[in-house]
Structures are given as C-alpha cells and as structure tokens.
Amino acid sequence: MRALAAAATAVAAPTPARLRLRLPLAPRAPRSGHCRAASSSRLLRISCSATTMGDETSTSVPAQEQGPAVGAGSVKQQLSKLVISSLRATVPEVEVEPMVEVSAKFADYQCNNAMGLWSKIKGSGTSFKNPNAIGQAIAKNLPSSDIIESTSVAGPGFVNITLSNRWVAKRIQDMLVDGINTWAPILPVKRAVIDFSSPNIAKEMHVGHLRSTIIGDTLARMFEFSNVDVLRRNHVGDWGTQFGMLIEYLFEKFPNWQEIGSQAIGDLQIFYKASKHRFDNDQEFKERAQQGVVRLQGGEEKYREAWKKICDISRSEFDLVYKRLNVELEEKGESFYNPYIPQVLAELSSKGLIQESEGAQVIFIEGYQIPLIVVKRDGGFNYASTDLAALWYRLNVEKAEWIIYVTDVGQQQHFEMFFNAAKMAGWLPDPKEKKYPKTSHVGFGLVLGSDGKRFRTRSTEVVRLVELLDEAKSRSKTELLQRLTENGKIVDWTDEELEQTSEAVGYGAVKYADLKNNRLTNYTFSFEQMLSDKGNTAVYLQYAHARICSIIRKSNKDLEELKMSGAISLDHPDERVLGLYLIRFAEVPFITIIEFYFIRFWKSDTSCQR
C-alpha cells in the first residue's frame, strides 16, 4: 500500500499555471454566451458520424528532423523508407506511396503495393506477368538493412517482412539507455492549438466539462510528448449578453460592491440563477440589463470593473478544478478575439462569401439547408463570427498548423460548417489533399447516471465538477483508511500521505474512467467501478505499477548500471511477441495509448525508491 501511495502521489501535484490573457482589446455588439463543452440534445442523432482523429503519424519526415533518435522513427516509418527505395527500383515510371502495415499472421509487417501497381501497369508492355511477380521484385529490391531478417511473397504479391530479433532487442536496449522520448511518434506539424474545456464565465464548471477537459489535456500531453509546440487554449465565454444581467443585478443588490469585493457575489451559481430569474420575470430589469451590455462593450469604466471582478471570481472557481485534475490552460476567451472580428468579416465579404438573408449576414455552404450566420439581425456577433476570428488569429498570428476543438458531438454540424467556410475563404486546403494547416473536431458523448439519463443530482441540477472530484477523493480516502486499519498499518501513515494518496487515486480514477471509454459514445458514471482495484481501472493500473516498483526495489540492483552493462535477448517466442509490442509504440493511434500517459505523467519520480 505504501508503494501504491508513492506511485500515485503525483496525480495530485499541480503544475504551475500559465499566464492567462484576460482583457478584451475593444468592445463589440451583444451576443449570447456559449459553453463549448456543454452537451447538446442532438447528441443521439449524430453521434455515430462524429469526426475522429485517426492515425496522423507521418511516414515522410526526413531523418534530420527526428530529434533525439536521428535516423530512427517508428518501425513502420523505417520500413517505409526501404520500401520506397525498392518501389523506385522496381517501377521507376510510377509514383506510389508505400503501403506497409502490421501483418496479422504470416510475418511482422507486410507490403501491399503489388496489386495496386499491377492495375496501373498491366497492358502497358511491362515485363511483369502478374502481381506476384511485382511482389517478388519488390522483395528482391529492398535495400540491405539490419532491420529485416527475412522476406517472403504470398498470394497476389503480398511481401511479408520478418524483423531481426537482434535489431528488435537492440532498439529496446537503446530506449532503456536513451529514454522513452526517443520513441516519440514523429508528427508532420511543429505547432498545434488544442481548444478544450471552455466553460462560461459566471457559471460553475459541471460534469459536462469533464470530458472536454480530460480529453483535451490528454491530447495536449501526447502532442507535447511528440515534440510539438502545443498552445493549450481555454476559449471561455467571457463576453456576452449575460454580463449586462449579472452586472445590473450586482449594482442593484450591492451598491457598495467595490468595498465588499467578492463577498457581494458569494456563490456564483446562486448569484447567476437569481439574476437570470430577475431577467426573465422583470421587463424593466431586462431593459436595464440590455443597456448594461451596451455600456460594458462601450468601455464604461464602472461596467468594465464589475465585469473584470465577475471574471476573476469565475477563474478562481475554474482553477479549483484544474488544480485537482492537474491541467494547464492558457485563457484566450471570446473577448480576446473581438477586435479581430470586423476585419475578418470584411475579408470574407470581399471574397463574396457573406450575403444578406432576412436581415442577417450569412455564409451559404453547399450541402447544408441552413446558412452559417456571422452577424445577427441586430448587428451582433455570435459563436460563428468569434470562431472565424479565432481561427484567423491562430493561423496568421500564432502560425498553428493543426487546430483541434474538443467539444461534445452535438456541436459537430457547427464545426463542419465553420471549417467549410474557412476552406471557401482559402484559409484551409481541401481535406482530401491531406495537407496542412488543418482543423479537427474531436467530439465526445454524454456522461450518464445509473438511470441512463444525463448525470445530475437528485434535485435534477447538473453535478458541479469540483464536488464530483471531492467525492472521488473522499471515497478513496475512506477505502484507504479501512484497508490500513484492517492490516494494522495505519500508524505508519502521516496525514499528508493519506491526503496525497487519496487525491491521486480518486482524481486519477475519474480521469482514467473517462479515457478508457469510447470517446464518441455515452458512458455511465460509477464511483464503485472507477475505484475498484480489479479490472481495467486506474486503481488496478496504479497497483500494477507499485508491484513493479516493489520488484525493482527488492532486487537490490542498480538500474542505471544494468542499462549500461546488461543485454536484452529475445530467445523465447513470448519474449519476441512482447518485444514487437514494445517497438510498435510510436505506431499506436493517439487515443489508444492511455496507459502509458497515465503512468508517465502521474507517477512520482521517486516512486521506485520508496
């Protein structure tokens, strides 16, 4: 149990917060607030077609750009380079990409180019008689390499490739000496923006933000591990019509709000509900609130000060969640992009993309029955106009090559239309060309309660995320205390160790439970399943890591010395199978290597020594 504590402790250790850019540069017309992570009622109708990330591992990055492991790259990348050389020698008149895949039965890898080549060259006077002959030539023309042990050709030209045991063992040995970073996947981009979490100012973060925050942070860590410069963006809703409502309510209830500070607002969720009730039921107050928005966006100092106070209180609440989840974000909310909207819309208009329709300004997109509204009838900007300005900024100022938006699948249509508008403007290439820059929408399903409905409290309120995380920690601590009491080891633990371990296990269980589920489908939230020490759970994974640390500790061996003096051999068939799994690490699609990141980023650096 002590080993588990050491292995898990780092989950709770927060990393320093990055600089948050909070103030807008200029006013703009009113618009409604947003919540990128909030789930939509359209979820069930479109969840099956949500966009997926796919396998974006590059097979064409030059060796000199590969970082620490010069000349390396994934096994698939290295074999692809050999196959390219063979294809040029075999069919120099045909341009074709190498088709190298893991083989399920007959070898370790397989080149599948022969049939496609045959369809291109048959009847053109070629000397090849059939696909098998092309396959034989491809195998023969493979450059000499210590990677390949043997090749064979099967059926209509499938080239089976068996790796050298000695090379596999050496590659694993090099990783042990040089570190896992040398095995990082090589991606075809240098800078990416990941837009995730994105709660609304003046509202509590709830369970609907859980998946966006966890998935977005995991994607960011994966890109960062792959040596990509990641801009972690929190696109908060901090500039909308709700602020007139909130500010006028603050002025009315607490005329001396500047003197009593945050105490005037107290519980932000209660404050928001009270102001919303007043807004919906009092016409005079509603009109004052609408005028308040104009004053705020006109730069009136009193309103700006109140706006900043409300935003600061919200941020302090958000930070409670981010600290528990060990998540870093840099805030660039709606207000940040406001000054760029007019010039972006002017550019789109100059290209003939914006038209007037029923008093609004819209972009008509082929294949959609409704247009993308960029300026409302009242002249106000909206979600689409802000997103277009943000994309323009990310492409032209921040020079991002890949922009990823992590929201529920209910927002898929918005992103499809928004991406199409950017393509029509010439900002993005056609997705079929597989060129950069590019945009992706990473959708996710709902978090459900045991009743199969959206996860809520008994009073049908959405579950506050900070309370959910605290409950996970509390349950974890109760279980930990019970076990330690039963085995008589409670006296060996300090209060600090109990707190750290409870946080690590509890918060880690919530994160892992979210990540292990299919991203696009709904899943049922269950503390009992999350905190179980059996099955595919974070607790079991942490126990497994603790056991490994225990074995290493009891061996009384110097690991650093073993790395330099020991040697790996793959004599047993099972050892070879394990070795192949290990060296294919860089080829695994992003979303399926959760366990590695769970251990790598959440364990204590000293856990193996405890």
Side-chain angles (χ1 to χ4, degrees):
M1 182 63 74
R2 180 60 62 88
L4 171 61
T9 297
V11 180
T15 49
R18 297 183 179 182
L19 175 66
R20 291 177 169 82
L21 302 179
R22 299 174 176 174
L23 300 179
L25 302 180
R28 81 167 187 209
R31 59 152 291 180
S32 58
H34 88 292
C35 177
R36 284 190 184 274
S39 298
S40 166
S41 60
R42 295 184 296 129
L43 171 66
L44 297 179
R45 297 201 296 272
I46 66 173
S47 62
C48 293
S49 60
T51 304
T52 57
M53 289 283 291
D55 184 356
E56 299 291 345
T57 302
S58 171
T59 59
S60 58
V61 178
Q64 62 268 24
E65 296 180 15
Q66 293 175 359
V70 176
S74 71
V75 181
K76 183 176 176 180
Q77 286 173 325
Q78 295 186 66
L79 290 176
S80 293
K81 292 174 185 176
L82 298 176
V83 171
I84 288 173
S85 296
S86 176
L87 291 171
R88 288 172 179 168
T90 304
V91 283
E93 70 278 12
V94 180
E95 280 288 332
V96 61
E97 289 294 318
M99 298 174 62
V100 178
E101 302 295 339
V102 173
S103 177
K105 292 183 179 180
F106 305 107
D108 300 323
Y109 285 82
Q110 187 171 280
C111 172
N112 301 326
N113 282 100
M115 291 184 67
L117 284 172
W118 175 247
S119 67
K120 292 177 181 292
I121 65 176
K122 66 179 179 179
S124 62
T126 178
S127 61
F128 294 111
K129 302 299 183 183
N130 51 48
N132 184 274
I134 297 177
Q136 296 288 349
I138 292 173
K140 179 181 178 181
N141 289 329
L142 284 170
S144 177
S145 171
D146 58 357
I147 301 176
I148 299 175
E149 180 71 32
S150 63
T151 61
S152 63
V153 180
F158 298 118
V159 180
N160 297 314
I161 302 172
T162 300
L163 302 182
S164 162
N165 275 16
R166 181 178 297 180
W167 182 83
V168 174
K170 181 64 167 58
R171 184 161 170 80
I172 297 172
Q173 182 77 30
D174 290 344
M175 183 275 292
L176 284 173
V177 174
D178 299 328
I180 190 66
N181 288 339
T182 61
W183 280 17
I186 298 174
L187 302 182
V189 297
K190 294 181 178 179
R191 171 171 286 187
V193 168
I194 301 184
D195 182 327
F196 66 103
S197 194
S198 306
N200 273 327
I201 292 290
K203 290 185 179 181
E204 293 277 6
M205 289 185 72
H206 54 76
V207 73
H209 298 99
L210 181 68
R211 303 207 74 182
S212 178
T213 304
I214 292 175
I215 294 171
D217 178 62
T218 302
L219 286 172
R221 291 180 185 272
M222 290 176 176
F223 274 92
E224 288 161 349
F225 175 71
S226 300
N227 301 307
V228 175
D229 179 20
V230 177
L231 307 181
R232 295 161 163 257
R233 291 290 177 256
N234 201 5
H235 189 95
V236 298
D238 65 349
W239 199 245
T241 55
Q242 77 270 24
F243 282 99
M245 173 185 78
L246 291 163
I247 292 170
E248 288 297 336
Y249 190 75
L250 176 65
F251 290 166
E252 181 179 281
K253 291 294 182 181
F254 303 98
N256 62 335
W257 67 273
Q258 292 170 306
E259 299 175 12
I260 61 178
S262 301
Q263 297 177 2
I265 295 177
D267 188 308
L268 196 58
Q269 192 77 350
I270 295 175
F271 185 85
Y272 181 89
K273 288 180 180 179
S275 62
K276 184 67 166 63
H277 182 269
R278 185 71 185 280
F279 184 86
D280 291 339
N281 294 281
D282 187 325
Q283 184 61 31
E284 188 273 333
F285 177 82
K286 182 176 183 178
E287 292 174 359
R288 278 196 288 122
Q290 291 169 339
Q291 286 299 311
V293 175
V294 176
R295 293 183 175 184
L296 168 65
Q297 298 181 344
E300 193 168 324
E301 184 176 354
K302 177 182 177 182
Y303 283 80
R304 282 297 180 96
E305 288 181 6
W307 172 77
K308 285 188 282 187
K309 173 59 67 177
I310 293 171
C311 289
D312 286 342
I313 294 173
S314 270
R315 291 187 183 99
S316 65
E317 294 295 321
F318 299 161
D319 285 344
L320 294 176
V321 172
Y322 297 140
K323 181 178 179 181
R324 285 164 170 77
L325 291 175
N326 194 16
V327 169
E328 288 186 23
L329 278 159
E330 182 181 10
E331 182 181 304
K332 275 189 168 71
E334 292 178 335
S335 60
F336 179 85
Y337 302 105
N338 178 68
Y340 300 95
I341 294 178
Q343 68 187 61
V344 167
L345 296 184
E347 177 184 332
L348 297 175
S349 182
S350 69
K351 294 179 177 180
L353 298 180
I354 297 179
Q355 302 178 39
E356 186 170 332
S357 176
E358 299 181 9
Q361 294 185 46
V362 305
I363 299 175
F364 287 99
I365 298 173
E366 185 178 354
Y368 295 89
Q369 294 182 347
I370 59 173
L372 184 71
I373 300 174
V374 294
V375 182
K376 298 184 293 184
R377 293 178 184 176
D378 61 5
F381 302 135
N382 63 359
Y383 198 8
S385 45
T386 301
D387 273 346
L388 285 166
L391 178 59
W392 180 93
Y393 183 89
R394 291 163 176 175
L395 291 172
N396 293 280
V397 179
E398 296 180 322
K399 305 298 183 182
E401 298 162 277
W402 196 352
I403 301 98
I404 299 170
Y405 301 81
V406 186
T407 76
D408 68 276
V409 296
Q411 298 184 47
Q412 180 189 349
Q413 180 172 290
H414 164 77
F415 283 102
E416 288 178 348
M417 296 176 70
F418 158 46
F419 295 162
N420 270 285
K423 186 183 71 174
M424 292 164 60
W427 298 354
L428 300 172
D430 190 312
K432 297 177 182 177
E433 298 177 2
K434 296 184 179 180
K435 294 181 179 179
Y436 293 86
K438 67 178 290 185
T439 53
S440 299
H441 174 228
V442 176
F444 53 82
L446 290 171
V447 180
L448 305 178
S450 57
D451 58 359
K453 299 179 180 179
R454 188 176 299 182
F455 193 39
R456 297 180 181 273
T457 64
R458 291 182 179 179
S459 59
T460 72
E461 294 287 344
V462 293
V463 178
R464 295 170 69 172
L465 193 46
V466 69
E467 292 177 354
L468 179 147
L469 294 170
D470 287 346
E471 176 69 11
K473 173 189 172 182
S474 175
R475 291 185 180 224
S476 174
K477 186 173 183 178
T478 299
E479 178 69 18
L480 178 61
L481 288 171
Q482 181 179 338
R483 292 191 178 203
L484 292 173
T485 301
E486 290 174 353
N487 62 28
K489 295 183 178 180
I490 186 68
V491 295
D492 299 330
W493 286 62
T494 65
D495 290 342
E496 183 180 3
E497 287 176 324
L498 288 171
E499 286 296 304
Q500 290 179 341
T501 303
S502 300
E503 289 176 352
V505 175
Y507 303 158
V510 173
K511 290 180 108 172
Y512 188 80
D514 191 286
L515 291 169
K516 77 173 185 179
N517 286 287
N518 185 312
R519 171 171 56 84
L520 296 174
T521 59
N522 304 336
Y523 79 92
T524 301
F525 190 94
S526 169
F527 280 120
E528 289 73 19
Q529 293 180 11
M530 290 178 180
L531 297 172
S532 173
D533 59 358
K534 297 178 178 61
N536 185 15
T537 66
V539 180
Y540 181 81
L541 186 60
Q542 289 171 321
Y543 268 120
H545 178 258
R547 292 188 187 106
I548 293 171
C549 291
S550 178
I551 292 171
I552 294 172
R553 186 173 61 252
K554 292 177 180 178
S555 71
N556 293 319
K557 299 291 184 180
D558 186 326
L559 287 186
E560 295 306 314
E561 181 182 337
L562 282 176
K563 289 178 184 179
M564 304 306 297
S565 62
I568 293 175
S569 62
L570 304 175
D571 299 327
H572 192 281
D574 289 344
E575 292 174 340
R576 190 178 194 282
V577 170
L578 178 58
L580 289 174
Y581 272 111
L582 290 174
I583 66 170
R584 288 171 180 160
F585 168 76
E587 298 169 19
V588 177
F590 266 15
I591 304 301
T592 62
I593 52 178
I594 297 164
E595 287 88 349
F596 167 76
Y597 289 94
F598 187 86
I599 287 295
R600 173 175 172 79
F601 294 107
W602 299 354
K603 75 179 183 64
S604 169
D605 292 337
T606 59
S607 59
C608 290
Q609 303 171 15
R610 293 285 303 270

